[in-house]
Amino acid sequence: MKAIHIPQLTQATEQTEVIEVNEFLPSLETLTPIQGQIRVNHQGNYLDVSAQAETIITLACDRCLQQYNHRLTTNASEIIWLDEAPPSTVPEPTEVELTAEDLVETLPARGYFDPNVWLYEQLCLAIPQKQLCEQQCAGIKPVVEPEGAILDRRWAALADLKQNEFQEHNGG
Ligand SMILES: [Zn+2]
């Protein structure tokens, strides 16, 4: 996907560009191409970006460590503020003060919007924190019998032996 030159969006129909997505992202390993749509709308001092996209990725189960395929979908929308300041401006040496604005995305108004980077971020956010191959996953199946089971079997064998002795003793 080609990056969009932000000023050019204002020339587009309804200041909107719709990108059809049907491709792999080099930064995200997926089994199938990412399919969907990204819509970028220029609102003067911000971009209104939204996407519906889906793909299939391979995850490793947190419990049993088996790999499984997961349908990853995103239905994201985000406001990206446009910074009008020319990039050559040297920031004034004022004290750094964190405001709410620092926590939102900003792009230079005369710069580019990269749909690859943005979609990658949205898909990463959609990856489940807890990865389970299935809700009922019992975890790693024990290969070795638990000690208790072996012990029980020995006791059982011993009990059988005693039972036989008893029968021989009384039967003969
Ligand atoms: Zn599992």
Side-chain angles (χ1 to χ4, degrees), residues 18-37:
V18 177
I19 305 163
E20 299 294 335
V21 187
N22 185 11
E23 62 188 79
F24 290 97
L25 283 179
S27 41
L28 188 69
E29 207 177 302
T30 56
L31 283 180
T32 58
I34 297 149
Q35 291 184 307
Q37 204 177 62

Side-chain angles (χ1 to χ4, degrees), residues 36-145:
Q37 204 177 62
I38 305 175
R39 192 174 169 277
V40 191
N41 174 226
H42 199 302
Q43 288 284 356
N45 56 346
Y46 67 89
L47 295 181
D48 181 1
V49 189
S50 58
Q52 291 83 44
E54 67 168 52
T55 185
I56 293 173
I57 56 168
T58 302
L59 298 175
C61 176
D62 288 341
R63 284 192 196 151
C64 69
L65 309 179
Q66 298 275 357
Q67 293 203 327
Y68 67 101
N69 294 337
H70 175 77
R71 181 178 296 274
L72 190 64
T73 58
T74 182
N75 199 345
S77 65
E78 191 180 31
I79 300 292
I80 300 173
W81 293 98
L82 298 176
D83 187 0
E84 287 291 346
S88 57
T89 311
V90 180
E92 285 175 40
T94 49
E95 270 185 60
V96 180
E97 216 176 295
L98 266 183
T99 63
E101 258 176 83
D102 293 316
L103 304 174
V104 299
E105 290 243 25
T106 311
L107 280 174
R110 317 230 127 246
Y112 287 85
F113 170 78
D114 189 341
N116 300 286
V117 172
W118 188 79
L119 187 59
Y120 168 74
E121 287 172 359
Q122 305 314 313
L123 286 168
C124 283
L125 288 172
I127 295 174
Q129 293 278 308
K130 192 165 192 162
Q131 298 175 2
L132 293 178
C133 59
E134 54 179 36
Q135 282 305 311
Q136 308 301 319
C137 175
I140 299 169
K141 293 198 178 64
V143 186
V144 193
E145 267 184 280

